[in-house]
Amino acid sequence: MTPEQLRDLVRTVVAAVVERGTLAVAVPDEVVVERPRNPEHGDYATNVALRLAKPAGRPPREVAEAVAEELRTRPGIERVDVAGPGFLNVTLAQGALGRIAVEAVTAGETYGHTATLAGQRLNLEFVSANPTGPVHIGGTRWAAVGDALGRLLEASGATVTREYYFNDAGAQIDRFAQSLMAAATGRPVPEDGYAGDYIGEIAAQVVAAEPGVLELPEAQQQERFRERGVELMFAEIKRMLAAFGVEFDVYFSERTLHETGALEKAIARLRENGHVYEADGAVWLRTTDFGDDKDRPLVKSDGDPTYFAADCAYYLDKRARGFDKVVIMLGADHAGYVGRYKALVAAVGDDPEANLEILLGQLVNLVRDGEPVRMSKRAGTVVLLEDLMEAVGADAARYALARASVDQQIDLDLDLWSRQTNDNPVFYVQYAHARISSVLRNAADLGVALGGPGDVDVAQLTHERENDLLRALGEFPRVLTSAAELRAPHRVARYLEELAGTYHRFYDSCRVLPRGDEEATPLTVARLWLCAATAVVLRNGLGVLGVSAPERM
């Protein structure tokens, strides 16, 4: 019995007590079930009686006794104690706790999945680095966290579209093209241009693809370098992200907003809503009406639309595609952007609290021996995704970047994350899975099979370490749900590390396989199911983070 199943059971019990007339209250939609800090208090605890006491007009302990009496009659419940002011401490029957292992193995890759967010259509935009250079370390963090968040949201029942918005229009693309032209002709890069070896590499590829490009008039030459350069650079970005295990459902071009008239339509809608005015030759959105610190220009005095106008058109495009909520992941340097984007959403007639969510992430520093690392050969002092992958590998990089809350700055120790030792968190978790895989292989070699769900007596699992592991496995669905709702993939990583430690303690205390001429017993089979269940959860949890679960290390 998982915590979720016990929660449903408690709610059913309350409904039965109410139906009998013992309590005159509304049956709560939600019941909180938690693991008590002291294991001696039982497997789980609930405060449901405390919550019902006031509406019932009865003392909390009296309500608790009424609920406990009914709960004690239900299958799978060994004991229910009323504690303190009215808490219910529940001890499950041994077989009920052991069924968690059977459920995990039977469900396989879907164990832990829920329908908590079912019906929600979410557009998740992350990375969205400009196609003017390779993905840097900041974008790499968003790649790891964003991809993990997308998997989490889907595991909770949401429909998620992962989207990459690339700014292939505007002044920065002109500077990129001019930088490529300079590199191709041996001239210095413009003062406000882009530097790094990758500029020379892309320029050479453009010239190789279009040998006559340098003979064109300057305007045409710049257009060819712009178009071909962006195409090559973005192909490189996609290649590196794919190597990192990150794929997007939609790659959206800013340029299409300009070419299809989407900007003009967006401004027209804002104007119809009464929030647009003209001043100093420019067109403005009155964002101060919605809490912004100042109004924002939509069209500059020279007639060119602003990035903000494109943002408005892009948001409307997403909503027109049927998404209930637009989720955008940005670096902390974009914190000032949040207020104006919320104002924009309100100005088009949407609810910023319901239809928009912006997540801000802090910086990542690479360190070695406590000193900052500047390691990129291609981009000077900027650390790139490929640099990090080369240093520690994709698994360690993804895990390390997703392991910390996004609102925390990370000092990522390259020595630590490249070690094949237990002080490396990802190795520690992966090793637990590999260790279990080895146990299951050895069991197969000995001719000991798990069999089907009806072939295992989970009531054999009575050891304290077995119970610790079962309770930890039962927490997995709740961990995924809370991590999805809080947009916090790091909770999954920390849970996996705790689970790995719980498994290692179990394995050190409870012999799984028979030795010598010993025969396999029902306890042997039950412990193998417990091992297999742990492997499922480790595999599923690592999968949410986009990290592999090796069977050998």
Side-chain angles (χ1 to χ4, degrees), residues 76 88 117 360 452 490 501 534:
L88 294 177
L117 302 180
L360 296 175
H490 68 279
T534 307

mmCIF file of all heavy atoms in Angstrom, residues 76 88 117 360 452 490 501 534:
data_model
loop_
_atom_site.group_PDB
_atom_site.id
_atom_site.type_symbol
_atom_site.label_atom_id
_atom_site.label_comp_id
_atom_site.label_asym_id
_atom_site.label_seq_id
_atom_site.Cartn_x
_atom_site.Cartn_y
_atom_site.Cartn_z
ATOM 1 N N GLY A 76 -5.229 -4.648 5.260
ATOM 2 C CA GLY A 76 -3.926 -4.012 5.091
ATOM 3 C C GLY A 76 -3.517 -3.128 6.245
ATOM 4 O O GLY A 76 -2.394 -2.626 6.272
ATOM 5 N N LEU A 88 -3.340 10.525 13.797
ATOM 6 C CA LEU A 88 -3.513 9.094 13.616
ATOM 7 C C LEU A 88 -2.204 8.506 13.108
ATOM 8 O O LEU A 88 -1.721 8.876 12.035
ATOM 9 C CB LEU A 88 -4.635 8.803 12.614
ATOM 10 C CG LEU A 88 -6.049 9.200 13.027
ATOM 11 C CD1 LEU A 88 -7.024 8.900 11.894
ATOM 12 C CD2 LEU A 88 -6.469 8.474 14.286
ATOM 13 N N LEU A 117 -1.737 16.233 -13.082
ATOM 14 C CA LEU A 117 -1.813 17.384 -13.991
ATOM 15 C C LEU A 117 -2.543 17.035 -15.293
ATOM 16 O O LEU A 117 -2.409 17.755 -16.287
ATOM 17 C CB LEU A 117 -0.403 17.893 -14.304
ATOM 18 C CG LEU A 117 0.443 18.314 -13.097
ATOM 19 C CD1 LEU A 117 1.819 18.797 -13.550
ATOM 20 C CD2 LEU A 117 -0.252 19.392 -12.293
ATOM 21 N N LEU A 360 13.231 31.536 -13.193
ATOM 22 C CA LEU A 360 14.541 32.175 -13.303
ATOM 23 C C LEU A 360 15.609 31.276 -12.698
ATOM 24 O O LEU A 360 15.425 30.716 -11.617
ATOM 25 C CB LEU A 360 14.539 33.531 -12.586
ATOM 26 C CG LEU A 360 13.603 34.597 -13.161
ATOM 27 C CD1 LEU A 360 13.618 35.837 -12.279
ATOM 28 C CD2 LEU A 360 13.993 34.952 -14.589
ATOM 29 N N GLY A 452 5.782 -14.695 -11.163
ATOM 30 C CA GLY A 452 4.751 -13.679 -11.303
ATOM 31 C C GLY A 452 4.363 -13.109 -9.961
ATOM 32 O O GLY A 452 4.816 -13.577 -8.905
ATOM 33 N N HIS A 490 15.291 18.909 -8.910
ATOM 34 C CA HIS A 490 16.342 18.562 -7.947
ATOM 35 C C HIS A 490 15.812 17.670 -6.832
ATOM 36 O O HIS A 490 16.569 16.902 -6.228
ATOM 37 C CB HIS A 490 16.970 19.824 -7.356
ATOM 38 C CG HIS A 490 16.070 20.613 -6.469
ATOM 39 N ND1 HIS A 490 15.127 21.487 -6.960
ATOM 40 C CD2 HIS A 490 15.956 20.658 -5.120
ATOM 41 C CE1 HIS A 490 14.490 22.045 -5.947
ATOM 42 N NE2 HIS A 490 14.958 21.559 -4.820
ATOM 43 N N GLY A 501 21.184 5.048 -0.837
ATOM 44 C CA GLY A 501 21.737 4.776 0.489
ATOM 45 C C GLY A 501 20.897 3.768 1.250
ATOM 46 O O GLY A 501 21.436 2.872 1.928
ATOM 47 N N THR A 534 13.394 -1.788 -6.478
ATOM 48 C CA THR A 534 14.326 -0.672 -6.289
ATOM 49 C C THR A 534 14.984 -0.295 -7.611
ATOM 50 O O THR A 534 15.163 0.888 -7.911
ATOM 51 C CB THR A 534 15.399 -1.039 -5.246
ATOM 52 O OG1 THR A 534 14.768 -1.497 -4.046
ATOM 53 C CG2 THR A 534 16.276 0.164 -4.917
#
